[in-house]
Amino acid sequence: MTPQPRKGWQFWIDRGGTFTDVIGRAPDGTLSVAKLLSENPGRYDDAAVEGIRQLLGVPPEQPIPVHRIEAVKMGTTVATNALLERKGARTALVVNRGLRDLLRIGTQQRPRLFDLCITLPEPLYERVLEVRGRHAADGREIEPLDLEGCRPALVQAWRDGIRAVAIVLAHAYRYPGHEQALGALAREIGFAQVSASHEVSRLINLVNRGHTTVVDAYLGSTLRHYVNRLRAALPGVRVLFMQSNGGLVDADQFHARNAILSGPAGGVVGAIRAGGEAGAGQVIGFDMGGTSTDVSHHAGELERRYETEVAGVRLCVPMLRIHTVAAGGGSICTYDGLRLRVGPESAGADPGPACYRRGGPLTITDCNLLLGRLQAAHFPSIFGPGGNLPPDERAVRDRFARMAPQAGQESPEALASGFLRIAVEGMAAAVKQISVARGYDVTGYALVAFGGAGGQHACQVADVLHVTRVIIHPLASLLSAYGIGSAAVRVLKEQTLESPASRTAERGAALAALEKAARAEMTAQGMGVDRVHRRAYVRPAGGNASLPVDLDGGGDLEAAYLDAHLRRFGFRPEGDLTVEAVAVEAVTGESEAQGYTEPPKEAVPATSRARVFFEGAWVDVDVVPRQTLHRSHPPISGPALVVDETTTVVVEGGWTARISQAGHLQLDKVDVKMEVRAGSADLDPVRLEVFNHRFMSIAEQMGEVLRHTAHSVNIKERLDFSCAVFDAEGRLIANAPHVPVHLGSMGEAVRSMIRQTRGTLREGDAYAINDPYAGGTHLPDITVVSPVWLPGERAPGFWVASRGHHADVGGITPGSMPANSRSIDEEGVRLPGFLLVRAGQMHRKELVSLLQSGCYPARNIPQNLGDLEAQLAANQQGTREL
């Protein structure tokens, strides 16, 4: 690609917690880079401004020539760090009378089910002010707003030093009048940061909307202070910030609620851009750093979620779908006497891995160093008391040698290889959570690897996922900044509708109003609109599986939703559909980045040889400097190492590496072989932990499907459900971290069904059971049990089961366990082992008859059916993965 002349410099900046990456695009289109510590007191006040100075060649004592700068595009962790460290503004929460504890109670979800002592995060607000005034769900004012009655409490909060106010009233997402009046009063008193829930999110769900509003108020002044400081250093320069939704926005419109994933969002856009440059339209983003790994999925459009939890706080704003796992180069490797474990604890930067010479623990970085996958010669000599020594390979080998016999491993190399396999399984499971669990087949995707450690494990992760292409951009270590430079300016507007899918006129009017508002906001930023995307979020009436449906093509909304539901959950729901919400996205200014051409090197190092541990043996491999490769260079066959100044890429056996036409390092799988390992009666901690990860991942994917497709609040919000995998005899293999009381007895329910179905079982069957005499608990806990038939087998090789607490199954009172019941029938309808599905066909009529039977039938049978369908979908997901 030939760079096109531009009118001024652009700077694309990712300000992280540790490092700030800066890419400068000169007026002739060429790119230059800088990497600085984000905090370096005494050297510079702000890393972003210092990076701009360095790339422009401006000495510290001289002002920055702002006339040479066209724009600054930036992602920042300022708001994220303030949230994690609880360093926001002192905040007051204003709510309706009687709702002061609403956000503290939340949804009753338990953050860590197996903790005996639950410690909830402290709320971000320090004071709650209750106000008289209430709208009903239909907009009626059932209690007038007592504005003057609220004034003394707000004045007192101001006098006490509180400077931020979050206003959260019931039904304000549709009827914002009371919030608007309270906001005007707070500003009149002097509060600089006033966040009202109707401005933060126009979506239903008071709890999530409330938490989001509190975050916006708590972090707003911190973010605004940083933005103002940057503007003062760059007067007159256009500054755009990256939002969590993957789009840029003018600094004046940048809000704290949209800043939480500012930096990682740039990485997602960068991975998509890198994949597009290499001709891959479907990509998995794989960003492996020192502490964690971020993964993302792209199949043609930016994927977002509207509910996210960060640092114990729920946010209800559009964010890119990024899944993070505690597996990075600094993840600590331990042996607990039975299992090998990798993470979630990290060695951090201090003391760091064992090889850093600071007494740190063994980590993934040490595994790679021991195995030769990282070469000490390509590390900077910055370790030891004098800061001039290479990493300590001897100490790493000695510590692995001491641990190996304890863990039953024949050598330090076998132990280190085992730790790497475990880490890879965890990272691959994270990719499955955002792709396979949502109905996508990733075997035809490209894996875009970046981050400091991404290249060392990309081939192994791709092998587990059966992905055959890996792409590594020349700017892989700065790909978030590159993504920020190539991102579009985006304005998203959404609105709760809760309307039957048949009401097309109502939906059209809402979309037209949102588009008008989006265009007006883009105009306020001084931009036109290149294109507009329209979406509807559709779910079954009474259900919770809201899925986005693209409205740009003008196709059949109901058919598109049913197809999406089938791909995601394995079945098409019956009954009416509801449009939960509609959204409009206005886009402009995409694809500013140019293809990167590396500058010529003064001296190009030669290829060398090194000993690396591959496939259980030491082999001599080529160590190829990245600078020596060009488009006409013949492919490099693995095993081999490709190194540059910032990272090492491990080319596994069966893979080749070459430079693509786009200038990327492209790895291709050329030898696809099935992994076959001999069985052994001896317990192998490595295999134990690898399969633990695989089976645990299956149970977790089952839980995700169940949560998203259930109808009852018990299951979809309180998460009162459990999923597990059992062997052919009904013994528990793995369970996700779900409700302990379910998991303790579910195995007996499975074994009961095995006994009942001997000689009658067919492939595709499923049974429902809630009998306390056969592994049940109380009657509302219904377990759906499904056999899993492996190819060529005459009997099930596994069983999968999902248990959900149904809101009601009849009985003398709604709910469960009536205190005055005298027999089990007074608690509800008993299912001693009902044949729910025969050879793939659900016995719906028979089930309805059973739920209507007895003296105390079920009260909400459609909800029971919806939850049972969700459990079947969860079991189907488990069956597919097994």
Side-chain angles (χ1 to χ4, degrees):
M1 179 183 297
T2 302
Q4 298 298 317
R6 304 283 176 146
K7 56 185 179 181
W9 279 80
Q10 280 199 15
F11 294 96
W12 312 327
I13 305 172
D14 175 28
R15 187 188 189 280
T18 303
F19 289 102
T20 293
D21 297 335
V22 183
I23 300 176
R25 193 199 65 197
D28 64 359
T30 59
L31 304 182
S32 53
V33 302
K35 184 181 284 282
L36 305 90
L37 288 171
S38 294
E39 300 292 340
N40 198 347
R43 294 286 304 279
Y44 44 78
D45 294 330
D46 185 84
V49 176
E50 177 64 18
I52 293 173
R53 281 187 178 278
Q54 290 185 12
L55 295 183
L56 288 177
V58 179
E61 66 277 4
Q62 294 184 11
I64 293 176
V66 293
H67 64 279
R68 297 175 59 191
I69 302 175
E70 178 187 341
V72 173
K73 302 179 179 181
M74 186 169 180
T76 176
T77 59
V78 168
T80 311
N81 293 341
L83 177 61
L84 294 173
E85 298 169 10
R86 294 299 197 262
K87 291 183 178 179
R90 297 178 62 188
T91 304
L93 170 64
V94 180
V95 296
N96 299 99
R97 182 165 56 98
L99 299 181
R100 66 177 301 113
D101 295 320
L102 177 72
L103 300 188
R104 186 64 173 165
I105 295 170
T107 62
Q108 300 185 54
Q109 293 179 15
R110 283 80 65 194
R112 290 171 297 278
L113 279 172
F114 297 103
D115 283 4
L116 297 179
C117 180
I118 302 295
T119 302
L120 297 175
E122 287 298 314
L124 301 180
Y125 53 87
E126 66 175 74
R127 186 175 302 183
V128 181
L129 311 179
E130 293 184 272
V131 59
R132 293 178 178 272
R134 188 75 171 261
H135 279 110
D138 61 3
R140 290 179 296 110
E141 189 179 61
I142 56 180
E143 183 180 38
L145 176 64
D146 184 8
L147 195 61
E148 289 306 310
C150 187
R151 183 186 292 271
L154 281 171
V155 170
Q156 188 60 50
W158 168 262
R159 290 174 177 170
D160 292 342
I162 294 174
R163 291 295 180 264
V165 174
I167 304 171
V168 183
L169 303 183
H171 308 302
Y173 72 98
R174 275 188 171 171
Y175 311 107
H178 289 180
E179 284 194 352
Q180 291 169 341
L182 287 166
L185 174 61
R187 293 184 182 93
E188 175 190 325
I189 291 171
F191 290 96
Q193 179 61 46
V194 179
S195 298
S197 74
H198 73 278
E199 297 172 340
V200 170
S201 174
R202 297 302 294 266
L203 299 177
I204 195 171
N205 193 319
L206 182 59
V207 172
N208 286 356
R209 182 159 42 90
H211 281 303
T212 308
T213 306
V214 170
V215 168
D216 194 65
Y218 180 74
L219 301 177
S221 58
T222 300
L223 186 65
R224 187 53 46 195
H225 173 73
Y226 180 76
V227 171
N228 290 339
R229 192 175 74 179
L230 188 65
R231 279 196 177 282
L234 303 169
V237 173
R238 173 140 205 218
V239 179
L240 300 167
F241 278 90
M242 190 68 174
Q243 302 178 98
S244 302
N245 61 32
L248 293 167
V249 69
D250 188 88
D252 291 337
Q253 304 293 326
F254 189 43
H255 300 289
R257 59 185 179 268
N258 296 322
I260 301 301
L261 293 183
S262 178
V268 174
V269 177
I272 295 170
R273 175 65 187 232
E277 290 172 354
Q282 297 175 313
V283 301
I284 296 294
F286 175 64
D287 179 8
M288 185 176 179
T291 303
S292 62
T293 295
D294 293 336
V295 296
S296 58
H297 170 267
H298 177 73
E301 63 178 17
L302 292 176
E303 294 186 354
R304 303 185 179 96
R305 53 187 172 191
Y306 283 80
E307 292 183 19
T308 308
E309 184 171 318
V310 179
V313 179
R314 287 189 171 274
L315 295 170
C316 190
V317 289
M319 292 186 177
L320 292 185
R321 190 179 295 276
I322 302 171
H323 188 45
T324 302
V325 290
S331 293
I332 297 174
C333 302
T334 58
Y335 176 64
D336 64 3
L338 179 64
R339 294 167 52 188
L340 298 177
R341 296 181 181 272
V342 177
E345 297 83 7
S346 173
D350 187 13
C355 65
Y356 282 13
R357 300 179 183 269
R358 293 182 187 148
L362 290 174
T363 67
I364 291 299
T365 295
D366 297 306
C367 295
N368 284 314
L369 185 66
L370 175 74
L371 300 174
R373 300 165 68 91
L374 286 175
Q375 293 288 309
H378 294 280
F379 264 88
S381 294
I382 58 173
F383 306 105
N388 59 351
L389 297 176
D392 193 344
E393 293 181 272
R394 181 186 295 274
V396 169
R397 173 167 288 279
D398 289 345
R399 294 179 64 173
F400 273 114
R402 289 195 297 269
M403 187 188 294
Q406 301 171 11
Q409 299 300 300
E410 60 187 17
S411 67
E413 291 84 359
L415 177 61
S417 296
F419 279 126
L420 288 187
R421 286 187 65 200
I422 292 165
V424 166
E425 289 289 338
M427 292 181 286
V431 173
K432 290 183 178 182
Q433 285 282 351
I434 59 164
S435 57
V436 178
R438 299 175 55 240
Y440 293 98
D441 178 6
V442 299
T443 55
Y445 284 53
L447 184 76
V448 178
F450 56 109
Q456 294 147 38
H457 307 90
C459 288
Q460 291 181 317
V461 171
D463 277 334
V464 175
L465 297 170
H466 303 290
V467 169
T468 59
R469 175 160 294 178
V470 173
I471 296 168
I472 301 178
H473 195 276
L475 292 172
S477 62
L478 299 93
L479 202 63
S480 291
Y482 186 74
I484 290 167
S486 61
V489 178
R490 297 174 184 269
V491 173
L492 274 73
K493 296 292 182 181
E494 68 277 337
Q495 176 186 329
T496 292
L497 203 59
E498 293 293 329
S499 170
S502 57
R503 295 184 183 174
T504 56
E506 181 180 354
R507 185 165 65 248
L511 287 165
L514 290 177
E515 181 175 343
K516 182 179 179 180
R519 288 183 178 276
E521 188 169 317
M522 195 73 85
T523 300
Q525 297 185 53
M527 294 187 176
V529 175
D530 290 342
R531 60 188 184 281
V532 175
H533 300 298
R534 302 164 185 83
R535 299 182 188 88
Y537 292 85
V538 187
R539 57 172 171 77
N544 193 47
S546 176
L547 295 176
V549 176
D550 186 359
L551 300 178
D552 293 339
D556 187 299
L557 180 142
E558 295 190 26
Y561 171 77
L562 293 175
D563 288 343
H565 198 282
L566 176 65
R567 184 185 71 246
R568 172 87 181 268
F569 303 117
F571 71 100
R572 286 187 172 91
E574 297 184 357
D576 297 331
L577 299 180
T578 296
V579 176
E580 182 179 66
V582 289
V584 166
E585 179 177 4
V587 184
T588 192
E590 199 167 19
S591 301
E592 290 282 350
Q594 298 288 338
Y596 178 63
T597 301
E598 293 179 278
K601 304 293 182 181
E602 295 181 3
V604 178
T607 297
S608 59
R609 299 282 285 176
R611 283 174 55 79
V612 183
F613 195 80
F614 280 105
E615 299 293 333
W618 286 100
V619 295
D620 291 326
V621 305
D622 286 336
V623 181
V624 184
R626 169 70 176 78
Q627 303 95 308
T628 65
L629 300 179
H630 46 79
R631 291 176 177 83
S632 59
H633 195 288
I636 298 168
S637 297
L641 303 180
V642 178
V643 298
D644 63 20
E645 295 175 349
T646 59
T647 190
T648 295
V649 176
V650 178
V651 185
E652 298 282 346
W655 288 78
T656 62
R658 65 181 179 87
I659 299 298
S660 69
Q661 289 303 310
H664 307 106
L665 183 64
Q666 181 173 304
L667 312 180
D668 291 293
K669 184 74 170 177
V670 294
D671 181 15
V672 181
K673 60 187 177 188
M674 189 69 73
E675 178 184 21
V676 179
R677 294 179 178 268
S680 172
D682 296 329
L683 181 63
D684 180 356
V686 174
R687 294 183 69 200
L688 175 66
E689 192 61 14
V690 166
F691 278 96
N692 172 60
H693 274 281
R694 292 184 180 181
F695 286 121
M696 178 74 78
S697 172
I698 292 171
E700 289 175 344
Q701 291 178 52
M702 292 171 63
E704 282 297 296
V705 170
L706 177 52
R707 180 172 71 89
H708 281 94
T709 54
H711 283 219
S712 66
V713 171
N714 274 1
I715 295 177
K716 69 186 181 183
E717 289 191 11
R718 292 185 59 246
L719 307 185
D720 198 344
F721 66 84
S722 297
C723 298
V725 180
F726 300 85
D727 69 7
E729 299 177 16
R731 295 173 299 192
L732 179 66
I733 295 176
N735 59 265
H738 295 154
V739 181
V741 69
H742 290 176
L743 300 165
S745 62
M746 201 188 302
E748 180 54 39
V750 174
R751 289 188 289 273
S752 172
M753 296 314 309
I754 293 175
R755 291 191 296 269
Q756 287 186 42
T757 59
R758 273 201 181 93
T760 64
L761 198 63
R762 300 182 191 174
E763 190 169 354
D765 287 357
Y767 290 82
I769 181 172
N770 66 352
D771 192 345
Y773 303 106
T777 50
H778 55 165
L779 294 186
D781 279 345
I782 300 178
T783 306
V784 175
V785 181
S786 303
V788 180
W789 301 72
L790 301 179
E793 297 294 328
R794 303 179 65 180
F798 295 93
W799 292 75
V800 292
S802 55
R803 176 173 289 180
H805 182 152
H806 288 238
D808 178 76
V809 290
I812 58 177
T813 61
S816 61
M817 295 186 295
N820 59 336
S821 58
R822 299 182 180 180
S823 71
I824 191 171
D825 294 324
E826 292 181 335
E827 191 184 9
V829 177
R830 187 156 60 102
L831 307 174
F834 174 73
L835 182 58
L836 184 62
V837 176
R838 168 61 84 182
Q841 295 298 316
M842 185 173 180
H843 291 172
R844 186 179 297 272
K845 292 181 180 179
E846 295 84 348
L847 176 60
V848 171
S849 298
L850 181 57
L851 292 172
Q852 291 175 336
S853 66
C855 300
Y856 310 103
R859 296 170 176 82
N860 190 348
I861 292 176
Q863 187 177 84
N864 294 127
L865 292 174
D867 283 349
L868 287 169
E869 281 187 337
Q871 290 175 254
L872 285 171
N875 286 11
Q876 289 175 2
Q877 177 68 24
T879 299
R880 284 194 298 268
E881 282 296 286
L882 281 168

